[in-house]
Each structure stands twice: as C-alpha cells, then as structure tokens.
C-alpha cells in the first residue's frame, strides 16, 4: 500500500487540525506532504515541526519570512512559499495525490478547482467553493478524472448511505435526501430574542467545535442553506428532492429516503474525524479516535421542522438555488461580507439575512460562463453588500 501524500489546505483551522489528528494516527497510510494556512506563521511552523511536510505555504506573502525564520530556528528543512498562487500550484502539483480543501470561504475556490482538474483525490470541506461554482467544479472533476469525497458531515453521511458513493439518484431509487441540522445555538428563539446576539454567543455551538465563520453560518442556518446547494451539486439532486430536518442531538448526520420506503441514515458522535477518516481511507475503514456511540446514554433522537421565518438565511439559499445561474455565488459573497461585519461588531445578527436578501434583489442572476466571470460577480456582490452595510448600518 503506497502512502497517500496529503496536502492539507487550511492546516491551522478546525478541519485542518482534525485531519492532521487522523493522519498522525496512521503514519503507515498517510503523510502530510503540504501544509498551507492564511497568515498564522507560528501555528503553521509548529505543525511543520510535528509533521515534517515537503512544503509549507502562507497565503499572506508578508508572513513568508517569519515562517522561514521559525522553521530554520527549529531545524525543519522544508520548502517555504507564499501567496494564493502557491497554494493553487501545490493543490495540483506533484507533492500530493490527495487534497483536503479546508480553507474557509471563497478564498478556497482556486485551489479546489485546481485539485479537481489535476485528478487528485479531493476531500471537500470548503463548501463555499461548490456553492459558488458547482457546475464548474464538477466539470473540472470529470476532466481530471479523480474522485471527490465530501467531508462536510451531512454530505459524507449521504455519500455513505448511497450505493457506490455518488450514483445517479433516479436509477438508485432515491426519493429524497434529508439533511439534518442541529438548529444552532438559537434554536427555538424568536426574532425579537435575536436582536442583541454577540459574536461569541453565535460562535458557541451546542454540538460542534468549528471555525468562527461556519459557527455564525450555523447560528443563522445559512450553513444548512449552503449545504442544500452543496448537496444539489454533489449528488445531482433536484431542489425538491432535498429536505432539511432539525435534529438537535446531532447524532444522525443525514439520511437517504428510497422509493421502497427504506430510509438509511449514518449516525455517530459529532466529531469531524469520522467523516475525514472515511474520506481519507475510502473504501476502507480506519480508526479515527472517535468514541463509540452510546445510544442508550443519549436516550432520545428528536426531529422538528426548521423555522425559516426566524432563520431566513435557509429560505434565501433555497430561493437562490431555485433562481439558478450565479445566484448562489451572489448569496455566498454577500453572506461572507455580512458575517465578517457581524464578527467585527458592525452588523447586528439579524442584519446578516437582510444584507443577503438585499444583494440578491439588487443583482439578478446571470448564467455562469467561466471562473473569471464568476469571480467578477463575486466581487460585484461583495461591493453591493458593503454598500448596503454602509447605507443601513454605519
Ligand atoms: P477555520 O476558520 O477554523 O480554519 C480556516 C483555515 O483556512 C485556517 O487554516 C486559515 O489559515 C485558512 N485560510 C483562511 N483564509 C485563507 C486563504 N486566503 N488562503 C489560505 N488559507 C486560508 O475554519 P474551519 O471550521 O476549519 O472550516 C474550514 C472549511 O470547512 C469551511 O469552508 C467550512 O465551511 C468547512 N467545514 C467546516 C466544518 C467544521 O467542523 N469546522 C464542518 C464542515 C465543513
Ligand atoms: Mg455540515
């Protein structure tokens, strides 16, 4: 068995850390050959000391010298690079056969596309790239001939519940895909109760420990909206064959409903290492460091309908998906700007949905032509979102 050479893009983040934990448990199977992060040179250098990659990259060129200095001081001999282009080149280059796309936001698009085009095994956490450019990413995958295995827990669950991973749903007898949502930290609250939410409250997820952006997305239910769009592309599922159900215990990670009435689900403790280990070793199964599920101790599994009047982001994502074209890229860009502003304290929690809604209304969808046009539209949506932000909140 050849050792898989794994590029971990977003190595200093939450998914990056869980990935490196699984890799460290299986040195005979996996090696972290490339580690990339945004600008945390100290964090990245510490990972290099432990994992000894061939190449370490900071996206921010201003941090390259600091990274090089830290590595030299620690006696680590690995190549050092910086800039977004270096991340993209590494994703498609000879130092890896597997790419864990765990950069947060649209910043992950280029490297994700490059890995797909180069035929790498692509482990996709960076849902924003498929929300922005679903059709282009799938085309790149077909051209590259590699596989994509989702590590978003819901999509990984669906992948596991389908025969052969990503089959034609009609031929496989699938009636519906059912995504579970924890409901986030504010499940059950009314709009009036959400007026004064702080970033720290929004980031305190009851079940999952994650980066701040996805934590806010989980609190607004935009995360589930992005995941509906992700499921549509990954599994070629029509919009009306995707349902969302709130399941506060976060033990059932998603389900597939078949035409004969069978509903298959994947369960497990809420720990991303399960999905990551599944994707790294697929079709084999390996130990992930996750505690066995004690069903009797949990005692109950609850399910309820999502409240899309209070958590409007989920409804907005469904609407953007139905609108088609580049509407989901506009939704994603507006959401990234709004979440940044919320985290910076310049936008109230309920303002996130408002900004996304206004930008979607301001910029009617256009057909997706190519990546360049899409990136220009992403820019346009960000400008529009900042405009709304300045007019309405500053
Ligand atoms: P995080 O904020 O903890 O980590 C983000 C990582 O991306 C960091 O290593 C950061 O240095 C890097 N990064 C940011 N901007 C970059 C840039 N311009 N160039 C290169 N690197 C950059 O985020 P996270 O929670 O690990 O989430 C990462 C992605 O995985 C997101 O798209 C998120 O939606 C998805 N995801 C996360 C979880 C989870 O449990 N955390 C679950 C499912 C999906
Ligand atoms: Mg998820």
């Amino acid at each position: 068995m050849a050792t898989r050479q794994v590029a971990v893009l977003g190595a200093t983040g939450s998914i990056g850390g869980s990935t490196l934990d699984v890799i460290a448990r299986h040195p005979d199977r996996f090696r972290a050959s490339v580690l990339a992060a945004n600008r945390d040179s100290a964090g990245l250098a510490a990972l290099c000391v432990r994992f000894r990659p061939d190449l370490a990259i900071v996206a921010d060129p201003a941090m390259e010298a600091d990274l090089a200095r830290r590595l030299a001081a620690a006696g680590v001999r690995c190549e050092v690079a910086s800039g977004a282009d270096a991340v993209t080149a590494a994703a498609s280059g000879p130092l890896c056969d597997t790419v864990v796309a765990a950069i947060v936001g649209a910043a992950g698009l280029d490297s994700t596309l490059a890995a797909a085009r180069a035929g790498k095994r692509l482990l996709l956490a960076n849902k924003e790239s498929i929300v922005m450019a679903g059709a282009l990413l799938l085309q790149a995958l077909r051209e590259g001939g590699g596989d994509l295995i989702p590590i978003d827990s819901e999509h990984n669950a669906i992948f596991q519940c389908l025969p052969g991973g990503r089959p034609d749903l009609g031929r496989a007898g699938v009636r519906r895909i059912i995504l579970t949502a924890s409901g986030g930290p504010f499940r059950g609250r009314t709009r009036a109760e959400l007026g004064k939410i702080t970033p720290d409250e929004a980031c305190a997820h009851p079940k999952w420990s994650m980066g701040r952006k996805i934590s806010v997305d989980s609190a607004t239910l935009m995360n589930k909206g992005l995941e509906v769009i992700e499921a549509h592309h990954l599994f070629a599922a029509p919009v009306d064959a995707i349902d969302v159900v709130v399941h506060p215990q976060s033990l059932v990670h998603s389900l597939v409903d078949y035409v004969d009435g069978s509903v298959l689900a994947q369960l497990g403790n809420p720990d991303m290492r399960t999905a990551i280990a599944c994707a790294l070793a697929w079709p084999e199964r390996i130990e992930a460091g996750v505690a066995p599920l004690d069903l009797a101790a949990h005692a109950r599994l609850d399910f309820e309908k999502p409240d899309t009047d209070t958590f409007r982001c989920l409804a907005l994502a469904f609407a953007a998906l139905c609108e088609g074209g580049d509407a989901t890229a506009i939704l994603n860009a507006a959401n990234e700007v709004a979440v940044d502003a919320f985290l910076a304290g310049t936008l109230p929690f309920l303002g996130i949905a408002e900004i996304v809604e206004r930008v979607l209304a301001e910029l009617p969808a256009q057909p997706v032509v190519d990546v360049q046009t899409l990136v220009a539209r992403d820019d346009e949506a960000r400008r529009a979102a900042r405009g709304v932000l300045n007019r309405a909140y500053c």
Side-chain angles (χ1 to χ4, degrees), residues 26-286:
H26 301 278
D28 51 327
R29 286 174 175 266
F30 311 116
R31 179 168 169 264
S33 56
V34 177
L35 297 179
N38 191 18
R39 52 191 329 278
D40 175 10
S41 50
L44 187 58
L47 293 175
C48 292
V49 170
R50 179 155 177 231
F51 290 94
R52 307 273 160 168
D54 300 320
L55 170 62
I57 312 171
V58 267
D60 182 351
M63 302 311 289
E64 180 176 345
D66 186 65
L67 175 63
R69 189 183 51 72
R70 287 174 187 276
L71 292 179
V76 175
R77 287 180 21 186
C78 80
E79 213 184 309
V80 175
S82 68
D85 290 349
V87 180
T88 301
S92 54
L95 293 178
C96 63
D97 48 53
T98 301
V99 173
V100 178
I103 291 175
V104 59
L109 177 65
D110 280 350
S111 50
T112 303
L113 281 172
R117 255 186 240 115
K120 308 289 183 187
R121 171 172 281 201
L122 176 59
L123 273 53
L124 185 70
N126 174 239
K127 63 191 86 186
E128 294 90 348
S129 61
I130 195 162
V131 167
M132 270 183 87
L136 297 175
L137 177 58
L138 291 171
Q139 189 189 332
L141 260 179
R142 281 190 298 274
E143 284 166 17
D147 13 293
L148 185 161
I149 306 184
I151 53 180
D152 210 348
S153 59
E154 296 76 4
H155 306 77
N156 185 267
I158 293 162
F159 176 85
Q160 294 191 48
C161 293
L162 289 170
R166 299 199 294 121
D168 178 280
L169 295 191
R171 259 187 253 145
V174 172
R175 182 159 47 199
R176 262 183 326 159
I177 279 173
I178 306 168
L179 295 173
T180 52
S182 69
F186 310 132
R187 183 178 61 88
R189 302 231 193 143
T190 60
R191 280 182 71 77
E193 291 168 326
L194 295 178
K196 296 213 155 52
I197 293 300
T198 65
D200 284 345
E201 286 170 321
C203 288
H205 196 280
K207 294 292 172 191
W208 297 95
S209 150
M210 309 181 286
R212 283 173 83 77
K213 193 264 176 180
I214 184 176
S215 296
V216 175
D217 285 346
S218 298
T220 60
L221 288 204
M222 179 58 93
N223 183 50
K224 211 47 55 182
L226 300 179
E227 290 182 354
V228 167
I229 300 164
E230 182 182 6
H232 164 76
H233 289 297
L234 278 180
F235 303 110
V239 187
D240 55 8
I242 307 173
D243 268 2
V244 173
V245 65
V246 172
H247 164 49
Q249 290 87 3
S250 294
L251 298 175
V252 177
H253 297 310
S254 277
L255 314 91
V256 177
D257 177 9
Y258 286 89
V259 287
D260 63 2
S262 298
V263 179
L264 302 194
Q266 185 257 355
L267 284 77
N269 285 314
D271 186 322
M272 290 306 294
R273 290 176 299 177
T274 297
I276 292 165
C278 164
L280 277 170
W282 188 261
E284 291 176 50
R285 298 279 182 173
I286 56 170

